[in-house]
Amino acid sequence: MRVGVTVTFVLAIVAITVTANEEVTKDEGVLVLTKNNFQKATEDNEFVLVEFYAPWCGHCKALAPEYVKAAASLIEKGSDIKLGKVDATEETELAEEHGVRGYPTLKFFRSGKPVEYNGGRQADDIVNWLLKKTGPPAKAIASVEDAKAFIEEKTVVIIGFFKDQESAGAKEFLSSAATTDDHPFGITSEDAVFTEYGVSGEGIVLFKDFDEKKNVYEGEIEESEIIKFVAANSLPLVVDFNHETASKIFGGEIKSHLLIFLSKEAGHYDAHIEACRGAAKAFKGQLLFVTINTDEEDHARILEFFGMKKEEVPGLRIIKLEEDMAKYKPAKYDLSESGLTSFVQSFLDGKLKQHLLSQELPEDWDKEGVKVLVSSNFDEVAFNKGADVLVEFYAPWCGHCKQLAPIYDQLGEKFKDNDEIVIAKMDATANELEHTKIQSFPTLKLYKKETNEVVEYNGERTLEGLSKFLETGGVYGQAAPDDEDDEEVDEEGDVPAKDEL
């Protein structure tokens, strides 16, 4: 998602000497790394988070001010953790060495050894993740004043109350703290803190500045259960989708979401939000309720993704984020508390059938050399056992698809009079198939005659290469390297975020 974020940069560009011949500059508090200084900078500094970026990447531009804020926050805290950045379009060898395939890619270096960064992209998320990875998993709370200051510092904090911090329960709590990067954890043995918050015996309390303000853990003190408790209670009952919350929604433990499409300008939030909150209470920990303001220009692509029009707002969808995203649509849009409850319960009970997008079949779908497929005619054409059928699954906005289009049209013309070869294409953003899920664009699949065996093409995208693939019955082109960046670069050169719909 692109978000118009501007900050006033207040930190000057300074230089620090690494060797007699090399130096690392700091741009707004962020180390500027190159092939010549990268190794020494990441080894001399015990902890360095490095962003591999491209200057033209929209997501990198959105991250930039948050990255600067994070660097400033760490400096203010007196932390030894450094933030660095690499222009991967200039430092191509460095990018290749570290397996960079999309932008931005962030890697955390501990004494020169890299691990993948899997935190959020807001300044607070970055700082929390780094502090958790470099310090004790839970902060020691020594007094009531410490506890109050800790609770007031962040939107969500979790405190463990353990008289014996070597107990089995305390160890489970600390293990959960070590593996939960989004929120700070504290731990206390002080009687006054127990009394202040009404805790007797071992206990865990999540404090937050929204909804019910705090949640008391009541289950068995086990790492996995504590993590579930935090995931279920650390977001509001109803979360509004935006750039800040996206990673928490789609990167969290809860993989089923009710998306509620509303227009603030039309007053839908005021009309429906209380019913949403009422329904959400019954499904805490099972399913997230997420509102999406359709007045936002950046959210138009989400409507498009679900095949929805603005006339359908207010509207609903449920998504299940697993290996393949499954989508569900209600028979009617009922945004009352009982209507929402019924829709979600039907989903959880397994009573709903997946909603698959489909366009209307054009009357002239088979007029040209390249046949046009939609969901309704796909099986009939692709699984025709009398011919080999090559299908391009494309996205209208995909730059690689646009580059392939004239070559693919030539291929269609070349084989249009061949009864045993069919060239076809399908807009995979507007048509979905239950048996085939497309992860990148363009994807080319050959459905072989007689057996219906499916062979994916990974060869060069030329008329000669595609022709040879067809003429060899799908043998040529199978073993060529994947074009790994296809799904990562759109027509403007931007890299879709993994938390983006």
Side-chain angles (χ1 to χ4, degrees), residues 193-334:
V193 183
F194 276 67
T195 301
E196 176 71 20
Y197 296 103
V199 177
S200 58
E202 293 187 332
I204 300 168
V205 181
L206 182 146
F207 297 89
K208 57 192 181 185
D209 64 4
F210 52 85
D211 291 345
E212 62 269 62
K213 304 301 181 183
K214 74 174 186 178
N215 303 99
V216 178
Y217 182 71
E218 297 177 346
E220 291 292 322
I221 301 181
E222 297 176 356
E223 178 184 344
S224 60
E225 294 304 312
I226 297 168
I227 291 171
K228 289 178 185 177
F229 164 76
V230 172
N233 293 286
S234 58
L235 286 173
L237 284 169
V238 180
V239 191
D240 197 47
F241 177 82
N242 53 48
H243 184 69
E244 184 176 341
T245 62
S247 62
K248 294 180 175 66
I249 294 168
F250 296 109
E253 294 291 321
I254 302 171
K255 300 303 182 184
S256 295
H257 308 150
L258 171 65
L259 305 182
I260 307 151
F261 295 88
L262 304 172
S263 165
K264 280 191 177 179
E265 291 179 2
H268 295 159
Y269 276 72
D270 293 337
H272 301 294
I273 201 69
E274 286 308 313
C276 294
R277 286 198 183 103
K281 290 176 184 176
F283 302 106
K284 184 185 286 188
Q286 295 177 280
L287 181 140
L288 286 181
F289 279 56
V290 182
T291 52
I292 297 176
N293 181 13
T294 57
D295 301 328
E296 295 284 341
E297 185 177 343
D298 285 338
H299 296 170
R301 191 161 161 184
I302 304 177
L303 283 173
E304 180 184 322
F305 178 83
F306 286 98
M308 295 177 66
K309 298 179 179 178
K310 283 215 170 185
E311 294 74 39
E312 289 186 69
V313 177
L316 304 168
R317 290 290 189 277
I318 287 176
I319 59 171
K320 188 174 183 180
L321 300 174
E322 291 185 337
E323 186 175 344
D324 297 314
M325 183 187 295
K327 296 175 277 190
Y328 302 85
K329 177 182 178 180
K332 62 177 181 177
Y333 294 144
D334 182 353

Side-chain angles (χ1 to χ4, degrees), residues 8 47 62 87 98 178 198 253 303 346 366 371 381 390 421 432 439 445 449 460 464 488:
T8 302
F47 306 117
D87 182 344
H98 292 285
E253 294 291 321
L303 283 173
S346 294
D366 61 348
K371 314 307 177 188
V381 175
L390 179 66
I421 293 178
E432 295 174 319
Q439 304 298 329
K445 291 180 181 287
K449 61 185 176 184
E460 65 273 19
E464 181 182 0
E488 297 174 346

Side-chain angles (χ1 to χ4, degrees), residues 409-475:
D409 286 341
Q410 292 174 36
L411 188 72
E413 284 299 309
K414 180 175 181 178
F415 289 99
K416 69 177 181 180
D417 296 324
N418 189 325
D419 294 336
E420 296 188 350
I421 293 178
V422 175
I423 310 299
K425 65 180 180 179
M426 187 175 82
D427 180 351
T429 68
N431 298 277
E432 295 174 319
L433 305 168
E434 197 163 354
H435 51 69
T436 304
K437 305 300 178 185
I438 303 302
Q439 304 298 329
S440 63
F441 303 113
T443 290
L444 292 146
K445 291 180 181 287
L446 178 66
Y447 294 79
K448 298 182 71 172
K449 61 185 176 184
E450 297 178 0
T451 63
N452 287 152
E453 177 190 354
V454 182
V455 180
E456 187 163 333
Y457 180 66
N458 290 313
E460 65 273 19
R461 294 186 190 136
T462 61
L463 180 61
E464 181 182 0
L466 288 163
S467 298
K468 197 170 180 180
F469 177 62
L470 292 168
E471 289 162 353
T472 60
V475 174

Side-chain angles (χ1 to χ4, degrees), residues 121-238:
R121 292 187 181 179
Q122 298 298 301
D124 280 351
D125 297 329
I126 295 168
V127 171
N128 286 342
W129 191 93
L130 290 169
L131 294 178
K132 187 68 67 68
K133 294 299 182 187
T134 57
K139 181 178 180 179
I141 306 294
S143 67
V144 171
E145 290 71 26
D146 281 354
K148 288 182 177 179
F150 183 65
I151 292 167
E152 290 174 3
E153 188 177 346
K154 298 293 181 182
T155 301
V156 175
V157 302
I158 303 93
I159 298 180
F161 295 78
F162 297 94
K163 293 292 179 61
D164 178 7
Q165 295 191 17
E166 295 299 319
S167 70
K171 290 177 180 178
E172 290 291 316
F173 174 75
L174 291 172
S175 293
S176 68
T179 56
T180 305
D181 301 321
D182 294 339
H183 309 291
F185 282 61
I187 189 167
T188 186
S189 304
E190 299 300 315
D191 290 340
V193 183
F194 276 67
T195 301
E196 176 71 20
Y197 296 103
V199 177
S200 58
E202 293 187 332
I204 300 168
V205 181
L206 182 146
F207 297 89
K208 57 192 181 185
D209 64 4
F210 52 85
D211 291 345
E212 62 269 62
K213 304 301 181 183
K214 74 174 186 178
N215 303 99
V216 178
Y217 182 71
E218 297 177 346
E220 291 292 322
I221 301 181
E222 297 176 356
E223 178 184 344
S224 60
E225 294 304 312
I226 297 168
I227 291 171
K228 289 178 185 177
F229 164 76
V230 172
N233 293 286
S234 58
L235 286 173
L237 284 169
V238 180

